[in-house]
C-alpha cells in the first residue's frame, strides 16, 4: 500500500517517493486516502463523507469504490 | 450544521500528455438557457434526453443568409433542403420566411405537400424518382431536376400520358477543384455529357429545359469552389441558349455551405476555417455577373441546408452513471448516444454543462446507452467530476440528426422548439412501443399467447 507513503500537501499535490510520480487531488480524495492508510473500512468512510458533505451514503460508497479502483490503476493501492 | 458542498474524490496523475488535466478548468463551458428558457426546467418538464430547437436562431440565420444574397443579386430564392431536417415545425419556419421546398424522394415530396406547399414551390431532386411520383410532380408543376438519361425517357412517357410539355431542369456535375468530387449525380459538364443531355431533351420534343442545377458537396470549406461552379453553369447556360435554343429561367447552385461545427481532424476552430455567408454569396453572385451575357438574369436558387439549421439545434442528455476505465480515464454513461447523433461521425461537438461544477478536471470519455463499443460521443474531454443527473448540452446538432437518427435499442426522444416569444412547444413526441410494433406482423403459428 503505497498510499501510506504519499506526501500530500495543502495545495492538493501528492508525491509518491517510491515512483517519483506526482498527483493532483481534491479535498475528498485526500480524506479518503488518509482513512484508507489508517485502515478505515470503506463503509465507514462513506458514512463519514455523508455526515460531512451533502451526499448520500450510497453515492459516497460508490465513489469510494470507484476511487479505490483509480488508486489501484495508479499503482498506489494493491 | 450545514453540510459542506460535496466534490467527488478526484486524483489525477500529473503527466505531460495530460498536462491540462488535474488543474481547475480555466473556463468551464456553461449553457443554462436556450432561446431564453432554462434548460433544467425543460428537462424537468419533458424528460431527458431532449432535442431543442431555437426558433429565433433559425429565423435570424435565414434572414442573414437571404440578405447576403439578395443584397447582391435580387432575383434569388432559397429552397429548404428537407433531408437536412424535415420536422414539420422546422420546415414551417423556413416556409414562413419565404423558402420553397427542396425534396429528394416521393416521401419528402408528400411531406411538403402535406404541410401545404404547392407543387410549383417544390424542387424535386434525387437519383431515383419512382414513375408515379414523376407523374404527380409533373401534374402539380414541380421543378423536376433530371439526374439520368433513363429519367429523360421516363419523363417523356409522362409527357405523353399527361398530354403536355413538361418544363424540366438537369442536374450537372463538374470539377470545382475540390476533393472528393461529387460526380455521381447528374450529367458531367467537362466530358460533354451535359450538352448531350440537353440535345437529347431537345430532340425528344416533349420536355422543355428551363433550369440548370448542381450540388457540389457538403460542408464546403472553400468558397471559391462555388465561383467555379457558378461560372461553369452560366457558361453552359449561354451555350445552351445560343446553340440549342432553350431559355434558361433559373440556375440552382445547390447546398453545401458549412456550419460552425468542428470537423474531426481539423485543428483550427470553425470560426477560423468556415467561410462566412458573405464569402459564399460573393463567390456565387460575382460569377453570375461576370459570365451572364445580355441582360436576362436567371433566377438564382439555393438549397442551403446545414448552414441554416445546424447551430439552432441542441441535444440535452443526462449522466446516468460513471466509472473508471482500465486506462484510468473516466467514462460517463449518458442517456443519448450515436443512435441520435448521426453527425458524430464527422464532428467533435461543443459540450457544455448547465451548472458550474467545482473541482479538478479529469480526462473523460462520454458514452451513450447503446450496447455497442462505438457508442462514443466524445473520446477525450476534460470534465470536472459530474454527478448522476448532471446535464450535458451537445451542439451544433440541428442538421441531419433528427432525420438520420435511428430507432435502435432505444426509443427516439422528444423534440422541443423554443419559440421567438419564449414559449416551449413540443414538436415531436417521444416514441413508444406501439409506434414500432404497429408495422410488425406476427404470423399466427408464432403467437406465444
Ligand atoms: C441536392 C441537394 N441539395 C441540397 C443539399 C443540402 O446540402 P447542405 O446541407 O450541405 O447545405 C443536399 C445534401 O446532400 C443535396 O443533396
Amino acid at each position: 500500500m503505497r498510499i501510506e507513503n504519499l506526501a500530500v500537501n495543502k495545495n492538493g499535490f501528492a508525491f509518491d517517493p517510491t515512483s517519483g510520480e506526482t498527483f493532483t487531488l481534491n479535498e475528498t480524495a485526500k480524506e479518503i486516502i488518509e482513512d484508507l492508510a489508517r485502515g478505515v473500512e470503506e463503509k465507514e468512510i462513506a458514512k463519514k463523507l455523508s455526515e460531512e458533505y451533502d451526499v448520500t451514503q450510497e453515492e459516497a460508497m460508490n465513489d469510494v469504490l470507484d476511487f479505490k479502483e483509480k488508486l489501484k490503476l495508479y499503482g498506489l493501492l494493491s | 450544521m450545514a453540510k459542506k458542498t460535496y466534490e467527488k474524490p478526484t486524483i489525477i496523475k500529473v503527466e505531460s500528455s495530460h498536462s491540462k488535466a488535474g488543474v481547475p478548468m480555466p473556463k468551464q463551458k456553461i449553457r443554462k438557457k436556450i432561446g431564453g428558457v432554462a434548460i433544467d426546467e425543460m428537462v424537468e418538464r419533458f424528460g431527458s434526453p431532449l432535442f431543442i430547437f431555437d426558433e429565433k436562431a433559425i429565423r435570424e440565420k435565414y434572414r442573414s443568409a437571404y440578405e447576403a444574397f439578395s443584397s447582391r443579386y435580387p432575383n434569388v430564392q432559397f429552397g429548404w433542403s428537407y433531408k437536412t431536417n424535415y420536422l414539420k415545425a422546422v420546415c414551417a419556419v423556413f416556409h414562413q420566411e419565404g423558402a420553397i421546398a427542396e425534396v429528394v424522394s416521393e416521401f419528402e415530396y408528400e411531406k411538403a405537400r402535406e404541410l401545404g406547399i404547392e407543387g410549383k414551390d417544390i424542387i424535386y431532386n434525387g437519383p431515383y424518382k419512382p414513375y408515379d411520383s414523376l407523374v404527380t410532380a409533373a401534374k402539380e408543376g414541380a421543378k423536376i431536376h433530371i439526374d439520368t438519361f433513363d429519367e429523360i425517357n421516363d419523363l417523356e412517357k409522362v409527357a405523353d400520358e399527361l398530354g403536355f410539355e413538361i418544363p424540366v431542369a438537369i442536374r450537372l456535375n463538374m470539377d470545382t477543384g475540390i476533393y472528393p468530387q461529387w460526380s455521381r449525380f447528374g450529367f458531367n459538364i467537362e466530358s460533354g455529357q451535359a450538352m448531350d443531355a440537353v440535345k437529347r431533351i431537345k430532340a425528344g420534343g416533349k420536355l422543355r429545359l428551363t433550369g440548370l442545377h448542381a450540388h457540389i458537396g457538403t460542408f464546403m470549406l472553400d468558397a471559391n469552389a462555388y465561383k467555379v461552379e457558378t461560372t461553369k453553369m452560366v457558361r453552359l447556360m449561354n451555350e445552351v441558349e445560343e446553340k440549342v435554343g432553350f431559355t434558361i429561367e433559373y440556375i440552382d447552385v445547390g447546398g453545401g455551405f458549412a456550419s460552425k461545427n468542428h470537423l474531426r481532424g481539423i485543428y483550427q476552430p470553425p470560426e477560423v476555417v468556415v467561410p462566412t455567408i458573405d464569402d459564399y454569396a460573393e463567390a456565387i453572385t460575382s460569377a453570375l455577373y461576370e459570365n451572364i451575357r445580355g441582360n436576362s438574369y436567371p433566377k438564382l436558387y439555393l438549397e442551403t441546408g446545414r448552414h441554416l439549421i445546424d447551430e439552432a439545434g441542441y441535444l440535452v442528455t443526462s449522466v446516468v452513471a460513471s466509472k473508471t476505465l482500465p486506462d484510468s480515464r473516466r467514462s460517463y454513461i449518458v442517456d443519448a448516444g450515436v443512435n441520435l447523433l448521426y453527425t458524430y461521425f464527422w464532428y467533435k461537438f461543443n459540450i457544455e454543462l448547465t451548472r458550474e461544477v467545482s473541482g479538478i478536471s479529469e480526462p473523460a470519455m462520454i458514452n451513450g446507452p447503446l450496447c455497442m463499443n462505438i457508442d462514443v460521443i466524445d473520446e477525450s474531454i476534460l470534465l470536472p467530476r459530474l454527478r448522476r443527473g448532471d446535464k450535458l448540452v451537445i451542439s451544433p446538432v440541428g442538421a441531419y440528426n433528427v432525420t438520420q437518427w435511428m430507432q435502435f435499442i432505444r426509443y427516439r426522444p422528444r423534440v422541443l422548439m423554443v419559440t421567438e416569444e419564449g414559449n416551449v412547444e413540443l414538436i415531436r413526441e417521444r416514441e413508444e412501443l406501439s409506434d414500432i410494433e404497429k408495422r410488425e406482423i406476427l404470423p399466427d403459428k408464432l403467437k406465444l399467447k
Side-chain angles (χ1 to χ4, degrees):
Chain A
M1 260 213 324
R2 280 166 29 201
I3 48 168
E4 289 160 359
N5 306 326
L6 269 188
V8 184
N9 78 9
K10 285 202 300 285
N11 301 327
F13 277 100
F15 179 68
D16 178 3
T18 335
S19 65
E21 287 167 346
T22 312
F23 302 87
T24 359
L25 68 179
N26 64 358
E27 191 57 34
T28 39
K30 207 174 115 193
E31 286 180 37
I32 297 172
I33 285 177
E34 284 164 5
D35 283 345
L36 287 173
R38 286 194 291 117
V40 182
E41 290 284 320
E42 291 153 4
K43 221 175 134 198
E44 188 55 30
I45 302 176
K47 187 155 170 277
K48 279 175 60 183
L49 287 169
S50 69
E51 283 160 6
E52 190 183 352
Y53 298 97
D54 64 346
V55 63
T56 62
Q57 200 173 323
E58 292 77 39
E59 184 178 343
M61 183 65 183
N62 284 352
D63 290 346
V64 172
L65 293 176
D66 182 88
F67 187 65
K68 281 183 67 182
E69 178 70 16
K70 191 88 159 200
L71 294 178
K72 285 184 201 157
L73 290 168
Y74 283 159
L76 295 171
L77 202 64
S78 46
Chain B
M1 203 186 78
K3 292 186 180 179
K4 289 194 259 178
T5 307
Y6 183 63
E7 245 180 43
K8 284 181 179 278
T10 317
I11 181 166
I12 309 286
K13 194 195 283 188
V14 179
E15 279 174 310
S16 48
S17 62
H18 285 153
S19 58
K20 276 188 289 178
V23 294
M25 287 190 64
K27 203 169 121 248
Q28 260 174 38
K29 292 205 258 175
I30 308 285
R31 178 181 300 273
K32 296 189 176 178
K33 291 179 174 183
I34 292 170
V37 179
I39 295 166
D40 289 345
E41 277 168 31
M42 290 191 269
V43 171
E44 185 138 321
R45 237 180 103 193
F46 294 96
S48 174
L50 269 183
F51 272 101
I52 304 176
F53 286 89
D54 181 345
E55 183 193 356
K56 188 154 173 269
I58 303 175
R59 291 190 190 272
E60 282 172 1
K61 199 79 181 179
Y62 181 88
R63 285 171 198 173
S64 70
Y66 185 79
E67 172 69 19
F69 279 89
S70 63
S71 62
R72 293 176 166 87
Y73 192 88
N75 195 11
V76 64
Q77 174 67 54
F78 279 79
W80 173 242
S81 157
Y82 267 46
K83 75 189 87 52
T84 309
N85 186 322
Y86 43 59
L87 287 171
K88 285 184 185 184
V90 168
C91 295
V93 171
F94 286 113
H95 294 317
Q96 278 186 349
E97 289 292 327
I100 60 170
E102 186 269 330
V103 306
V104 290
S105 67
E106 71 281 21
F107 155 66
E108 290 187 353
Y109 189 95
E110 285 164 20
K111 228 170 172 309
R113 293 288 289 120
E114 170 73 20
L115 198 56
I117 303 304
E118 289 183 53
K120 69 173 177 48
D121 292 327
I122 299 178
I123 296 170
Y124 190 14
N125 281 320
Y128 170 47
K129 306 180 188 77
Y131 187 83
D132 287 349
S133 74
L134 287 175
V135 174
T136 308
K139 254 193 226 161
E140 296 180 348
K143 292 171 178 52
I144 302 172
H145 292 182
I146 300 175
D147 213 87
T148 58
F149 283 106
D150 295 300
E151 211 165 76
I152 297 178
N153 295 347
D154 280 351
L155 275 165
E156 289 181 339
K157 253 175 82 186
V158 174
D160 282 340
E161 197 178 315
L162 297 178
F164 60 78
E165 187 186 62
I166 304 172
V168 296
I170 52 168
R171 176 160 179 171
L172 306 165
N173 69 68
M174 69 202 86
D175 179 9
T176 56
I178 56 124
Y179 181 84
Q181 185 182 334
W182 281 30
S183 52
R184 255 191 64 205
F185 305 102
F187 305 94
N188 186 257
I189 293 187
E190 291 89 0
S191 71
Q193 192 183 37
M195 207 52 193
D196 285 347
V198 175
K199 288 178 185 157
R200 163 72 188 77
I201 289 170
K202 183 76 180 176
K206 293 170 184 171
L207 310 175
R208 181 165 42 93
L209 187 72
T210 59
L212 298 177
H213 163 257
H215 171 75
I216 57 174
T218 191
F219 214 96
M220 306 289 294
L221 291 173
D222 181 12
N224 191 56
Y226 287 96
K227 178 135 188 161
V228 177
E229 177 199 18
T230 311
T231 301
K232 291 190 174 183
M233 290 178 81
V234 176
R235 288 186 182 164
L236 182 70
M237 172 183 87
N238 294 337
E239 199 184 333
V240 167
E241 294 195 335
E242 245 173 60
K243 294 192 182 150
V244 190
F246 284 126
T247 303
I248 301 301
E249 294 160 14
Y250 70 90
I251 285 191
D252 180 342
V253 296
F257 303 158
S259 63
K260 292 233 162 55
N261 224 321
H262 201 141
L263 275 190
R264 290 175 176 278
I266 287 192
Y267 279 96
Q268 295 103 317
E271 288 69 26
V272 177
V273 294
V274 173
T276 65
I277 193 69
D278 284 297
D279 295 336
Y280 291 123
E282 189 57 33
I284 291 167
T285 57
S286 66
L288 288 172
Y289 287 118
E290 285 161 22
N291 295 285
I292 288 171
R293 290 199 214 131
N295 48 13
S296 84
Y297 289 88
K299 189 168 211 130
L300 170 66
Y301 281 98
L302 293 145
E303 301 170 352
T304 312
R306 185 190 309 276
H307 172 85
L308 293 177
I309 190 67
D310 215 9
E311 292 145 55
Y314 302 83
L315 176 63
V316 182
T317 181
S318 305
V319 172
V320 294
S322 89
K323 66 172 73 162
T324 296
L325 299 176
D327 65 3
S328 90
R329 246 182 325 171
R330 177 154 307 281
S331 156
Y332 285 108
I333 297 140
V334 298
D335 58 12
V338 297
N339 50 328
L340 304 180
L341 285 174
Y342 186 85
T343 57
Y344 160 78
F345 298 101
W346 302 45
Y347 296 146
K348 184 162 171 68
F349 297 113
N350 186 28
I351 295 180
E352 298 162 302
L353 303 172
T354 62
R355 68 174 182 108
E356 285 92 9
V357 180
S358 67
I360 40 185
S361 55
E362 59 177 358
M365 83 193 282
I366 299 172
N367 296 111
L370 306 181
C371 250
M372 307 274 292
N373 211 32
I374 57 154
D375 195 9
V376 183
I377 293 177
D378 199 315
E379 205 148 15
S380 151
I381 180 171
L382 284 174
L383 285 173
R385 277 287 263 126
L386 305 177
R387 295 172 81 165
R388 274 190 118 173
D390 270 331
K391 290 160 214 98
L392 300 175
V393 186
I394 303 171
S395 66
V397 300
Y400 295 103
N401 289 306
V402 298
T403 48
Q404 286 179 284
W405 54 0
M406 281 180 279
Q407 190 278 305
F408 175 56
I409 298 183
R410 305 196 63 80
Y411 297 122
R412 283 174 285 201
R414 283 176 163 157
V415 184
L416 305 181
M417 181 179 279
V418 178
T419 68
E420 276 187 300
E421 299 77 26
N423 298 322
V424 179
E425 299 277 3
L426 178 63
I427 61 168
R428 194 180 198 269
E429 187 49 282
R430 76 159 71 84
E431 281 171 344
E432 54 188 29
L433 189 61
S434 64
D435 291 317
I436 296 134
E437 302 271 279
K438 187 157 71 186
R439 295 289 158 204
E440 283 194 50
I441 297 146
L442 185 65
D444 275 341
K445 71 164 211 167
L446 297 178
K447 287 194 173 134
L448 302 179
K449 53 180 180 196

